[in-house]
Amino acid sequence: MTAVITVDAENPDPAAIARAADCLRRGGLVAFPTETVYGLGAHALDRRAVARLFEAKGRPATDPLIVHVTTSSDAAALVTQVPDIARTLASRFWPGPLTLVLPRAAVVPPEVTAGLDTVALRAPAHPVARALLAAARLPIAAPSANLFSRPSPTRAEHVLEDLGGRIDIVLDAGPTHVGVESTVLDLTRTPPVLLRPGAVTLEQLRAIVPEVTLRTATPAPGVAMPSPGLLSRHYAPRTPMTLYEGAPTAARDRLRAAVRDALAAGQRVGVLLTAEHAHIFRDVPVVVAELGTERDPHAVAARLYAALRELDAAQLDIIVAADLPQEDGLWRALRDRLRRAAAQIVST
Ligand code: TXA
Ligand code: MG
């Protein structure tokens, strides 16, 4: 049985937090909100707890976890070296949605990091996450609290959909604010490499570290993945989704044609698109999930995973999605997730 404990997002009840912290200390699994998505927490220094975590998620042992801490000094205890650049970035972005990859200290079990000699660390900003860290007095290993390869959970209901009965506790504090995961930055390489675009933008990082580079290569099969979501499908609905990219008008024409063909073939169709384009399907018998306006990437981020899950629950044969309008700022992370969620990408 999974206990669902409702807590206030700003001022969580200390008794509820103490119960969850105690569960973690005993090697249990607790899902909790962060500002990005819900995480599934385990005692990061307890190998058995970490093994249970991988098992509950169905996550391959080759995919390393992020360890959550309260402060930079907690982080320093888990690494062999803190470069100046890490101090600078942590003081600017922590607590917040930036994950820093640093050389792992021996105290961190290799199971946490998929055998890598590096460890990913972040100090979350959500008051519930911070209260839990403070009460447990532990580093908490926490991947997103979804089944492996499903969309990340932005609400406690999503956690229960995937992990109900497989974990001990869910702290339900309502929807998360950001909606897309943290940015993962590898500081063990010079210059630093952006492994996963996320809630802290490349532009924000480059304002402080101009030489940050983007990663491009894909690792060999069987090798521990140096970055998240390198699998072809990740963050994905179960219903196959096709993403239409390229020149916007041409891409939308092809998307519309695909919808027409699918309906003619008797298929049930879901469409994922921004508010600006939702009207296209007003009189068409499809299920539309709207992402919010193209003027506000934050609104799109907050809706993205919930929209994917809504379409997935609607018993459709196919989902079609229109590309997002831009590549800068938060759009980079959103387009990345949309591409990874797609089973197929059609470029015009
Ligand atoms: O916003 C977030 O980051 C959320 C919340 C819960 O904090 N967590 C999250 O965790 O998205 P997860 O496990 O779904 O994605 C973390 C990614 C992993 O896929 C992994 O590839 C990368 O971070 N990562 C972890 N440790 C790493 C390491 N030592 N080197 C490189 N990448 C690492
Ligand atoms: Mg994840």
Short mmCIF file of all heavy atoms in Angstrom, two decimals, residues 233 236-244 262 267-272 308 311-312 315-321 338 340-345:
data_model
loop_
_atom_site.label_atom_id
_atom_site.label_comp_id
_atom_site.label_asym_id
_atom_site.label_seq_id
_atom_site.Cartn_x
_atom_site.Cartn_y
_atom_site.Cartn_z
N ARG A 233 13.15 6.58 -26.99
CA ARG A 233 11.88 7.08 -26.45
C ARG A 233 12.01 7.26 -24.95
O ARG A 233 12.42 6.38 -24.24
CB ARG A 233 10.73 6.13 -26.77
CG ARG A 233 10.47 6.05 -28.25
CD ARG A 233 9.17 5.35 -28.53
NE ARG A 233 8.03 6.18 -28.11
CZ ARG A 233 6.84 5.68 -27.86
NH1 ARG A 233 6.61 4.40 -27.93
NH2 ARG A 233 5.86 6.48 -27.51
N ALA A 236 7.71 9.36 -22.62
CA ALA A 236 6.79 9.11 -23.73
C ALA A 236 5.44 8.57 -23.27
O ALA A 236 5.36 7.78 -22.35
CB ALA A 236 7.43 8.10 -24.68
N PRO A 237 4.37 8.99 -23.97
CA PRO A 237 3.09 8.33 -23.77
C PRO A 237 3.14 6.92 -24.36
O PRO A 237 4.01 6.64 -25.17
CB PRO A 237 2.11 9.21 -24.55
CG PRO A 237 2.94 9.88 -25.59
CD PRO A 237 4.32 10.01 -25.02
N ARG A 238 2.21 6.05 -23.97
CA ARG A 238 2.21 4.70 -24.53
C ARG A 238 1.63 4.69 -25.93
O ARG A 238 2.01 3.89 -26.76
CB ARG A 238 1.37 3.77 -23.64
CG ARG A 238 1.97 3.60 -22.25
CD ARG A 238 1.33 2.46 -21.50
NE ARG A 238 2.00 2.23 -20.22
CZ ARG A 238 1.51 2.63 -19.05
NH1 ARG A 238 0.36 3.26 -18.99
NH2 ARG A 238 2.19 2.40 -17.95
N THR A 239 0.69 5.61 -26.17
CA THR A 239 0.12 5.74 -27.51
C THR A 239 1.18 6.35 -28.43
O THR A 239 1.78 7.35 -28.06
CB THR A 239 -1.09 6.70 -27.45
OG1 THR A 239 -1.87 6.38 -26.31
CG2 THR A 239 -1.92 6.63 -28.71
N PRO A 240 1.41 5.76 -29.59
CA PRO A 240 2.47 6.30 -30.45
C PRO A 240 2.19 7.75 -30.86
O PRO A 240 1.09 8.08 -31.29
CB PRO A 240 2.49 5.37 -31.67
CG PRO A 240 1.28 4.53 -31.57
CD PRO A 240 0.78 4.57 -30.16
N MET A 241 3.19 8.60 -30.71
CA MET A 241 3.03 10.01 -31.04
C MET A 241 3.95 10.38 -32.20
O MET A 241 5.12 10.02 -32.21
CB MET A 241 3.38 10.86 -29.81
CG MET A 241 3.20 12.36 -30.07
SD MET A 241 3.37 13.33 -28.55
CE MET A 241 5.05 13.91 -28.75
N THR A 242 3.40 11.10 -33.16
CA THR A 242 4.20 11.61 -34.27
C THR A 242 4.31 13.13 -34.14
O THR A 242 3.30 13.82 -33.93
CB THR A 242 3.55 11.26 -35.64
OG1 THR A 242 3.39 9.85 -35.71
CG2 THR A 242 4.43 11.73 -36.79
N LEU A 243 5.54 13.61 -34.24
CA LEU A 243 5.80 15.05 -34.13
C LEU A 243 6.07 15.60 -35.53
O LEU A 243 6.87 15.05 -36.28
CB LEU A 243 7.01 15.26 -33.23
CG LEU A 243 7.57 16.67 -33.10
CD1 LEU A 243 6.55 17.61 -32.45
CD2 LEU A 243 8.86 16.65 -32.27
N TYR A 244 5.36 16.70 -35.87
CA TYR A 244 5.55 17.34 -37.18
C TYR A 244 6.41 18.58 -37.02
O TYR A 244 5.99 19.55 -36.38
CB TYR A 244 4.19 17.65 -37.81
CG TYR A 244 3.49 16.39 -38.23
CD1 TYR A 244 2.76 15.64 -37.30
CD2 TYR A 244 3.63 15.87 -39.52
CE1 TYR A 244 2.18 14.43 -37.66
CE2 TYR A 244 3.04 14.66 -39.88
CZ TYR A 244 2.33 13.95 -38.94
OH TYR A 244 1.76 12.75 -39.28
N ALA A 262 -6.13 9.50 -40.77
CA ALA A 262 -6.34 8.60 -39.64
C ALA A 262 -7.83 8.50 -39.33
O ALA A 262 -8.36 7.41 -39.07
CB ALA A 262 -5.57 9.09 -38.42
N GLN A 267 -9.58 5.64 -37.13
CA GLN A 267 -8.76 5.70 -35.91
C GLN A 267 -9.23 6.82 -34.99
O GLN A 267 -9.82 7.81 -35.42
CB GLN A 267 -7.29 5.94 -36.30
CG GLN A 267 -6.67 4.74 -36.99
CD GLN A 267 -5.17 4.91 -37.13
OE1 GLN A 267 -4.70 5.92 -37.65
NE2 GLN A 267 -4.42 3.92 -36.66
N ARG A 268 -8.94 6.62 -33.70
CA ARG A 268 -9.18 7.67 -32.71
C ARG A 268 -7.90 8.48 -32.57
O ARG A 268 -6.83 7.92 -32.34
CB ARG A 268 -9.59 7.07 -31.38
CG ARG A 268 -11.03 6.53 -31.39
CD ARG A 268 -11.41 5.88 -30.08
NE ARG A 268 -11.08 6.73 -28.93
CZ ARG A 268 -11.90 7.65 -28.41
NH1 ARG A 268 -13.10 7.84 -28.92
NH2 ARG A 268 -11.53 8.33 -27.36
N VAL A 269 -8.04 9.80 -32.69
CA VAL A 269 -6.86 10.65 -32.83
C VAL A 269 -6.78 11.69 -31.72
O VAL A 269 -7.78 12.34 -31.40
CB VAL A 269 -6.89 11.38 -34.20
CG1 VAL A 269 -5.66 12.26 -34.38
CG2 VAL A 269 -7.01 10.37 -35.34
N GLY A 270 -5.60 11.85 -31.16
CA GLY A 270 -5.34 12.93 -30.21
C GLY A 270 -4.37 13.92 -30.82
O GLY A 270 -3.49 13.56 -31.59
N VAL A 271 -4.57 15.21 -30.49
CA VAL A 271 -3.72 16.25 -31.04
C VAL A 271 -3.16 17.09 -29.90
O VAL A 271 -3.90 17.51 -29.01
CB VAL A 271 -4.51 17.16 -32.00
CG1 VAL A 271 -3.59 18.17 -32.67
CG2 VAL A 271 -5.25 16.34 -33.05
N LEU A 272 -1.86 17.31 -29.96
CA LEU A 272 -1.19 18.12 -28.93
C LEU A 272 -0.69 19.39 -29.60
O LEU A 272 0.12 19.33 -30.52
CB LEU A 272 0.00 17.32 -28.38
CG LEU A 272 0.83 17.98 -27.28
CD1 LEU A 272 0.02 18.03 -25.98
CD2 LEU A 272 2.12 17.20 -27.05
N LEU A 308 0.38 15.19 -22.09
CA LEU A 308 0.75 13.90 -22.67
C LEU A 308 0.01 12.77 -21.95
O LEU A 308 -0.47 11.83 -22.58
CB LEU A 308 2.27 13.67 -22.55
CG LEU A 308 3.14 14.47 -23.52
CD1 LEU A 308 4.62 14.29 -23.17
CD2 LEU A 308 2.89 14.04 -24.97
N LEU A 311 -3.77 12.67 -22.95
CA LEU A 311 -3.99 12.03 -24.26
C LEU A 311 -3.80 10.52 -24.15
O LEU A 311 -4.54 9.75 -24.73
CB LEU A 311 -3.02 12.62 -25.30
CG LEU A 311 -3.33 14.05 -25.73
CD1 LEU A 311 -2.25 14.57 -26.66
CD2 LEU A 311 -4.69 14.13 -26.43
N ASP A 312 -2.81 10.14 -23.35
CA ASP A 312 -2.53 8.71 -23.19
C ASP A 312 -3.70 7.98 -22.54
O ASP A 312 -3.93 6.81 -22.81
CB ASP A 312 -1.28 8.54 -22.32
CG ASP A 312 -0.41 7.43 -22.84
OD1 ASP A 312 -0.70 6.91 -23.95
OD2 ASP A 312 0.57 7.09 -22.17
N GLN A 315 -7.49 6.64 -24.59
CA GLN A 315 -7.69 5.45 -25.42
C GLN A 315 -7.71 5.77 -26.89
O GLN A 315 -8.67 5.47 -27.61
CB GLN A 315 -8.97 4.75 -25.00
CG GLN A 315 -8.97 4.51 -23.51
CD GLN A 315 -9.85 3.34 -23.13
OE1 GLN A 315 -10.97 3.21 -23.59
NE2 GLN A 315 -9.32 2.47 -22.27
N LEU A 316 -6.64 6.37 -27.34
CA LEU A 316 -6.53 6.78 -28.73
C LEU A 316 -5.65 5.78 -29.48
O LEU A 316 -4.89 5.02 -28.88
CB LEU A 316 -5.88 8.17 -28.79
CG LEU A 316 -6.61 9.24 -27.97
CD1 LEU A 316 -5.74 10.47 -27.80
CD2 LEU A 316 -7.93 9.58 -28.65
N ASP A 317 -5.76 5.83 -30.81
CA ASP A 317 -4.87 5.00 -31.62
C ASP A 317 -3.57 5.74 -31.92
O ASP A 317 -2.51 5.13 -31.95
CB ASP A 317 -5.56 4.62 -32.94
CG ASP A 317 -6.80 3.78 -32.68
OD1 ASP A 317 -6.66 2.73 -32.03
OD2 ASP A 317 -7.91 4.20 -33.08
N ILE A 318 -3.67 7.02 -32.17
CA ILE A 318 -2.45 7.81 -32.43
C ILE A 318 -2.57 9.21 -31.80
O ILE A 318 -3.66 9.72 -31.56
CB ILE A 318 -2.15 7.99 -33.94
CG1 ILE A 318 -3.31 8.72 -34.64
CG2 ILE A 318 -1.86 6.65 -34.62
CD1 ILE A 318 -2.93 9.29 -35.99
N ILE A 319 -1.39 9.78 -31.57
CA ILE A 319 -1.30 11.18 -31.14
C ILE A 319 -0.44 11.89 -32.17
O ILE A 319 0.59 11.36 -32.60
CB ILE A 319 -0.63 11.30 -29.75
CG1 ILE A 319 -1.45 10.55 -28.68
CG2 ILE A 319 -0.45 12.77 -29.35
CD1 ILE A 319 -0.74 10.44 -27.33
N VAL A 320 -0.88 13.07 -32.58
CA VAL A 320 -0.02 13.90 -33.43
C VAL A 320 0.28 15.20 -32.69
O VAL A 320 -0.56 15.71 -31.94
CB VAL A 320 -0.64 14.20 -34.81
CG1 VAL A 320 -0.87 12.92 -35.60
CG2 VAL A 320 -1.94 14.98 -34.67
N ALA A 321 1.49 15.70 -32.87
CA ALA A 321 1.90 16.91 -32.15
C ALA A 321 2.53 17.88 -33.13
O ALA A 321 3.25 17.48 -34.05
CB ALA A 321 2.89 16.55 -31.05
N LEU A 338 9.66 17.02 -26.13
CA LEU A 338 8.66 16.65 -27.14
C LEU A 338 9.27 15.66 -28.13
O LEU A 338 8.66 14.65 -28.49
CB LEU A 338 8.19 17.93 -27.84
CG LEU A 338 6.82 17.94 -28.49
CD1 LEU A 338 5.75 17.44 -27.53
CD2 LEU A 338 6.49 19.34 -28.98
N ARG A 340 11.74 13.62 -27.58
CA ARG A 340 11.98 12.32 -26.93
C ARG A 340 10.68 11.55 -26.69
O ARG A 340 10.70 10.34 -26.59
CB ARG A 340 12.71 12.52 -25.61
CG ARG A 340 14.11 13.04 -25.81
CD ARG A 340 14.84 13.09 -24.49
NE ARG A 340 16.06 13.86 -24.59
CZ ARG A 340 17.14 13.48 -25.25
NH1 ARG A 340 17.18 12.30 -25.84
NH2 ARG A 340 18.20 14.25 -25.31
N ALA A 341 9.59 12.30 -26.57
CA ALA A 341 8.30 11.64 -26.35
C ALA A 341 7.76 11.04 -27.65
O ALA A 341 6.89 10.18 -27.63
CB ALA A 341 7.29 12.63 -25.78
N ALA A 342 8.26 11.53 -28.79
CA ALA A 342 7.72 11.11 -30.08
C ALA A 342 8.27 9.75 -30.51
O ALA A 342 9.45 9.48 -30.38
CB ALA A 342 8.05 12.16 -31.14
N ALA A 343 7.36 8.91 -31.03
CA ALA A 343 7.80 7.63 -31.59
C ALA A 343 8.35 7.86 -32.99
O ALA A 343 9.14 7.10 -33.50
CB ALA A 343 6.62 6.66 -31.65
N GLN A 344 7.89 8.96 -33.61
CA GLN A 344 8.25 9.25 -34.98
C GLN A 344 8.30 10.76 -35.17
O GLN A 344 7.45 11.47 -34.62
CB GLN A 344 7.17 8.64 -35.90
CG GLN A 344 7.57 8.61 -37.34
CD GLN A 344 6.37 8.31 -38.24
OE1 GLN A 344 5.24 8.10 -37.78
NE2 GLN A 344 6.62 8.33 -39.53
N ILE A 345 9.28 11.22 -35.94
CA ILE A 345 9.36 12.65 -36.23
C ILE A 345 9.29 12.83 -37.74
O ILE A 345 10.03 12.21 -38.49
CB ILE A 345 10.68 13.26 -35.70
CG1 ILE A 345 10.71 13.13 -34.16
CG2 ILE A 345 10.83 14.71 -36.13
CD1 ILE A 345 12.01 13.58 -33.52
#
